[in-house]
Amino acid sequence: MFIATVKSCCSRLSKLAIVGMSALVLTSVCLVLPAQADEAAKPVVIRFSHIVSGKAPKGQMALKFKELAEKRLPGQVVVKVYPRAMMYEDDQVVDAILKGDLEMAAPAVSKFTKYTSSLQVYDLPFLFDDMGAVDRFQHGPAGRGLLDSLAGHGIRGLGYLHNGMKQLSANQPLLQPADAAGLKFRIMSSDVLDAQFNVIGARAEKYPFGEVFNLLETKKIDGQENTWSNNYTTHFFRVQSHITETNHGVLDYMVITSTAFWDKLPTAMRSELEAALNEAIEWGNQKAAEENAQDRERIVASGETNVMTLTPSQRMQWVQAMRPVWKQFSGVIGQDLIDAALASNNKP
Ligand code: SIN
């Protein structure tokens, strides 16, 4: 009898204990779940800052990336695109990304001089014959390797994006190098670009992209170099009487983020973002080629400037006058990179 009473008592007690424990577990689950659910519901925000118009090839690619990333990761990722330097100038984005005030940007490769010398290979005049060569270089080991050239600074190169070949503009015809002597040109922040103008007796000054139109309009500078699409979308052609189709250099971008931000994303999310970015870049590169061709025609049709082409012998004079810059920078850039870039001019 006593044993039976004790047994039933124990059984009731253990039921109570189970109920009690379950309640405890439930309570803790309830305490933990709302926080986790909140966390899970919060999308990752990617702020993408750039300095051109939303209609320029880079601006369109950034919007394409937003569309594709948000489609691949619905509710998990939100991409906010800030055009026209409304958030940061190109020389501020690396610091902003490292501080966590920004997640992505795509400055011209010429603007990384203060972090690495190797990317200046892209600035050597008359090195790449055309954008096809740039593409081949970037798909080869040397070009791909350069995506890691900012790793020591905590920056990850996610991919390259094209704009196109650069043309020279001024308020006078520039048909041979001597025509540029004594003129002041705006350049991006690259020492190679500085040398490229110095070697033909011109001066070069580094200014942010957003200031170029005013500098040209007020004649604080005499000329500049840029692609057809930037000349058109930023209206430089309206304040320059002549543009010479030199195709002397390349304007290309590197899409960057911080290693710290990227590495803490879940692996599956990273691969979806990579896929979205690669698709957006391919689309953007196609767009850039089309827009540059169209914008050239729009500039010609505007009648607001004179578009001049070079004869083969005039072009050869520019090539020869600027070639010494290659030797001047082979030590800092690396002759192996220059050779790999040159090899990409050979079509397969
Ligand atoms: C850009 O296309 O991002 C601007 C390039 C420049 O600064 O000239």
Side-chain angles (χ1 to χ4, degrees):
M1 177 67 177
F2 172 74
I3 290 177
T5 312
V6 168
K7 261 192 187 164
S8 118
C9 211
C10 279
S11 143
R12 252 182 277 139
L13 270 177
S14 55
K15 271 183 197 152
L16 269 176
I18 289 167
V19 170
M21 267 172 64
S22 312
L24 200 70
V25 168
L26 258 176
T27 316
S28 359
V29 165
C30 289
L31 283 176
V32 168
L33 260 184
Q36 282 178 345
D38 257 10
E39 207 45 42
K42 255 196 210 158
V44 172
V45 176
I46 299 179
R47 290 162 293 182
F48 190 142
S49 164
H50 67 79
I51 60 165
V52 292
S53 137
K55 291 192 182 136
K58 178 163 58 180
Q60 294 191 49
M61 171 275 177
L63 293 172
K64 187 58 143 181
F65 169 64
K66 171 182 170 60
E67 175 198 319
L68 296 172
E70 291 177 356
K71 195 161 144 201
R72 280 176 176 270
L73 295 159
Q76 295 173 65
V77 161
V78 170
V79 180
K80 295 185 177 173
V81 180
Y82 299 91
R84 289 192 182 276
M86 60 194 270
M87 231 182 160
Y88 296 105
E89 288 292 349
D90 271 347
D91 62 352
Q92 301 168 319
V93 290
V94 169
D95 283 347
I97 284 179
L98 290 175
K99 279 192 200 141
D101 294 336
L102 181 69
E103 285 70 39
M104 275 170 94
V109 285
S110 319
K111 295 182 180 169
F112 293 114
T113 306
K114 109 176 188 216
Y115 304 98
T116 173
S117 303
S118 8
L119 282 170
Q120 286 185 98
V121 68
Y122 287 104
D123 292 330
L124 291 173
F126 297 103
L127 182 67
F128 293 100
D129 287 349
D130 51 30
M131 294 313 289
V134 176
D135 218 40
R136 285 189 288 279
F137 173 71
Q138 292 177 343
H139 282 93
R144 275 204 312 271
L146 285 178
L147 287 173
D148 296 331
S149 56
L150 303 163
H153 297 276
I155 292 291
R156 188 185 169 101
L158 293 171
Y160 293 109
L161 174 70
H162 298 335
N163 188 316
M165 301 300 283
K166 289 182 291 184
Q167 321 302 337
L168 279 181
S169 76
N171 283 316
Q172 62 182 68
L174 298 173
L175 292 174
Q176 43 200 21
D179 296 334
L183 299 185
K184 200 198 292 174
F185 288 85
R186 176 268 172 174
I187 52 165
M188 295 182 277
S189 50
S190 153
D191 295 340
V192 168
L193 297 180
D194 190 36
Q196 166 195 274
F197 283 106
N198 289 337
V199 81
I200 55 169
R203 281 185 294 150
E205 289 191 11
K206 299 170 181 171
Y207 286 110
F209 184 63
E211 290 179 25
V212 182
F213 182 88
N214 279 340
L215 290 164
L216 291 172
E217 194 177 34
T218 56
K219 308 227 176 341
K220 294 212 171 79
I221 50 171
D222 303 302
Q224 57 89 42
E225 52 164 16
N226 230 304
T227 58
W228 291 115
S229 79
N230 275 348
N231 276 306
Y232 183 74
T233 52
T234 323
H235 301 169
F236 298 158
F237 71 101
R238 299 213 155 116
V239 283
Q240 293 276 264
S241 66
H242 290 77
I243 304 182
T244 310
E245 189 163 30
T246 46
N247 290 319
H248 64 282
V250 171
L251 174 57
D252 218 78
Y253 309 113
M254 194 192 281
V255 184
I256 55 167
T257 186
S258 82
T259 315
F261 167 74
W262 195 249
D263 287 353
K264 77 171 195 272
L265 295 178
T267 315
M269 182 178 283
R270 270 203 310 255
S271 54
E272 289 298 330
L273 286 173
E274 263 162 13
L277 185 65
N278 290 340
E279 199 180 327
I281 285 177
E282 209 180 312
W283 180 91
N285 286 349
Q286 180 66 33
K287 203 84 199 141
E290 289 163 14
E291 302 268 319
N292 272 296
Q294 281 166 12
D295 289 345
R296 180 194 187 282
E297 295 319 306
R298 288 180 179 126
I299 289 174
V300 171
S302 76
E304 291 187 60
T305 188
N306 296 291
V307 172
M308 318 198 69
T309 51
L310 298 173
T311 64
S313 89
Q314 285 168 337
R315 187 177 157 82
M316 192 42 72
Q317 286 183 46
W318 287 92
V319 171
Q320 281 169 352
M322 290 182 167
R323 181 63 56 85
V325 178
W326 293 15
K327 193 144 179 248
Q328 193 182 334
F329 282 86
S330 66
V332 283
I333 293 173
Q335 190 58 44
D336 50 336
L337 276 179
I338 300 177
D339 291 343
L342 274 175
S344 67
N345 286 325
N346 304 322
K347 295 189 179 80

